[in-house]
Amino acid sequence: MSTANPLQPPARSRRRTTLCIAAICLTLAAGTAAVATLGSGNKNAAATKPDAAASAPLEFAEGDIYRVKAQALARTIQVSGTLMPLTQAMVKSTVSGAVHRVLVREGEAVRQGAVVAEIDTTDASARLEAAQADQAERRARLAIAERNRDTNQTLLQQQFISQNAFDQLNSTQQANEAAVRWADAQVKLASKAIDDALVRAPISGTVAKRFVNGGERVSPEAPIVSLVDLSRMELEATVPASEVAAVVAGQAVQFTVDGFDTRAFIGRVERINPVAEAGSRAIKVFVTVPNPDGALRGGMFAQGAVTLAKTGEVPAIPLAAVFEEAGQSYVFTVEDGKLVKRAVALGQRDEATGMVALSSGVAEGVPVVRIRMNGLKAGAPAVLRSAPPKPAPPAQG
């Protein structure tokens, strides 16, 4: 007969405790495995994301690509300045008087010789009448002096008068002749004053400014109107002293003007200032510009370039497509579905068009990336996105 130990639990309790411990261990093991599996899955997912991003090709639109082609380039110097009419005239009064009326307004076209203003001629007419009266009196005196001289010349031949008396009469006649010439001049001046009261345009052009109105009184040299001839304009621009040696009269200048969008105007170098500007040390050049349609106006700002020399047809690319690294120029091309980094040798630059000649490195027809993008890498997948097809025109029913 066995005796039970009071300090030990019953056998059934021991078995129940052992089962609980085993269950707890299995639960912990399963949780550890799940955590390990989850961590491994996150690592794999994180590892696959860059690969997926790296495999996505870069897409370039037609506007992002430039296919190398041959074209003519020009060596130019950038210039800018203000356009002014080549021929201008300030019409002034040459007589004093009240302005009767002004016949033109700003913006009106006038022809050479046309009357632009009328000045009251009351005073001028009175002076003309006085000059004509004085002229008539002096001519009458001259006629009397000439008759006396002729009569006394006969008496002198007959020795009825002395030579001294005849010489006095001859001097009187000559003095009267001079007086008549003076009176004739006064009549001409008075007549001219009346003609000048009709102020005429000295050139054909357009009225730029009107300075007086009817009823105002003007004095000689007072401005009446200013005229400009817009058929030929002049661009006054400055060129650096280091570049002016390459500028000669007759060179073409292509420029644009604010307000005309992309319209290009052409002029030619007419004159070159022989003295540099005191402050900037730049040289002024004067460019004449034909303006047959009158589109250009005085005071407009123009920007352009003087063409110094031109090349033949050479392969060229946009300057924006060229990258620099350690003194070497290179471009990115799209070839066989990937980006290719190619070193290039550059030639003449055309600042006006933003193009540069290619001496070597890329053949004609190869697509070159023309836009500035960060992170371009050689070997990266790249494709050219084709332009969407144009919609078909509606059927004519």
Side-chain angles (χ1 to χ4, degrees):
M1 181 176 179
S2 60
T3 305
N5 188 353
L7 298 179
Q8 290 182 350
R12 183 178 299 176
S13 297
R14 288 197 304 270
R15 285 195 302 271
R16 190 174 299 168
T17 300
T18 301
L19 290 174
C20 290
I21 293 172
I24 291 171
C25 291
L26 288 174
T27 303
L28 291 175
T32 302
V35 170
T37 302
L38 179 61
S40 175
N42 289 339
K43 288 180 181 180
N44 291 336
T48 56
K49 283 183 181 180
D51 294 340
S55 62
L58 295 171
E59 289 190 6
F60 293 99
E62 287 295 329
D64 303 333
I65 296 297
Y66 182 84
R67 296 184 183 275
V68 180
K69 62 181 179 182
Q71 65 182 82
L73 300 181
R75 180 189 168 208
T76 59
I77 297 176
Q78 298 297 312
V79 295
S80 61
T82 303
L83 287 164
M84 295 300 294
L86 185 62
T87 304
Q88 306 181 50
M90 179 68 73
V91 184
K92 298 182 178 180
S93 171
T94 57
V95 297
S96 60
V99 178
H100 181 57
R101 58 176 179 167
V102 181
L103 303 175
V104 295
R105 295 176 295 178
E106 285 90 344
E108 288 188 359
V110 296
R111 291 187 176 275
Q112 183 178 7
V115 177
V116 297
E118 296 177 354
I119 299 175
D120 184 69
T121 59
T122 302
D123 293 343
S125 297
R127 285 192 294 270
L128 176 60
E129 291 178 1
Q132 288 172 338
D134 183 63
Q135 180 190 49
E137 179 186 358
R138 293 180 185 276
R139 284 182 174 178
R141 291 179 181 178
L142 175 61
I144 294 172
E146 286 177 344
R147 285 196 300 269
N148 288 336
R149 185 196 62 180
D150 294 342
T151 300
N152 284 277
Q153 187 172 16
T154 302
L155 294 175
L156 176 64
Q157 292 173 355
Q158 297 174 358
Q159 296 183 351
F160 284 108
I161 61 171
S162 65
Q163 182 67 44
N164 186 41
F166 177 79
D167 290 342
Q168 288 180 354
L169 291 171
N170 193 41
S171 296
T172 301
Q173 186 270 339
Q174 291 176 352
N176 282 297
E177 282 185 349
V180 168
R181 288 196 298 270
W182 183 86
D184 291 343
Q186 295 304 307
V187 171
K188 287 182 179 179
L189 288 174
S191 299
K192 185 177 184 302
I194 293 179
D195 291 339
D196 290 343
L198 296 177
V199 183
R200 300 180 183 274
I203 63 172
S204 296
T206 306
V207 179
K209 189 171 180 60
R210 172 172 152 170
F211 296 95
V212 297
N213 296 304
E216 297 182 20
R217 189 169 184 83
V218 295
S219 58
E221 298 301 317
I224 304 296
V225 295
S226 64
L227 301 177
V228 295
D229 181 6
L230 296 178
S231 62
R232 293 182 68 198
M233 305 294 288
E234 184 174 72
L235 171 64
E236 182 180 317
T238 55
V239 172
S242 59
E243 300 281 358
V244 76
V247 180
V248 296
Q251 286 175 331
V253 181
Q254 182 172 338
F255 60 92
T256 58
V257 179
D258 293 345
F260 286 90
D261 297 329
T262 58
R263 178 178 174 181
F265 296 88
I266 303 293
R268 293 197 176 275
V269 177
E270 185 76 16
R271 309 185 314 277
I272 302 173
N273 200 320
V275 180
E277 296 295 301
S280 62
R281 296 297 177 186
I283 306 293
K284 281 187 178 181
V285 296
F286 301 90
V287 181
T288 56
V289 183
N291 188 34
D293 59 353
L296 298 175
R297 306 300 174 95
M300 287 183 167
F301 184 73
Q303 291 180 303
V306 181
T307 302
L308 304 180
K310 287 187 176 181
T311 67
E313 297 285 330
V314 294
I317 58 173
L319 283 166
V322 180
F323 295 81
E324 298 285 341
E325 182 178 317
Q328 174 64 55
S329 300
Y330 65 92
V331 297
F332 284 101
T333 62
V334 179
E335 303 176 41
D336 299 328
K338 63 181 180 180
L339 285 179
V340 178
K341 182 178 179 181
R342 291 190 177 277
V344 293
L346 304 179
Q348 179 171 305
R349 298 191 177 198
D350 188 337
E351 300 292 344
T353 60
M355 304 295 290
V356 61
L358 276 177
S359 300
S360 63
V362 181
E364 290 188 34
V366 174
V368 175
V369 179
R370 68 183 303 169
I371 59 173
R372 290 283 179 176
M373 292 181 61
N374 294 325
L376 293 179
K377 294 183 179 180
V383 294
L384 301 180
R385 186 173 60 205
S386 58
K390 295 182 179 180
Q396 299 294 331

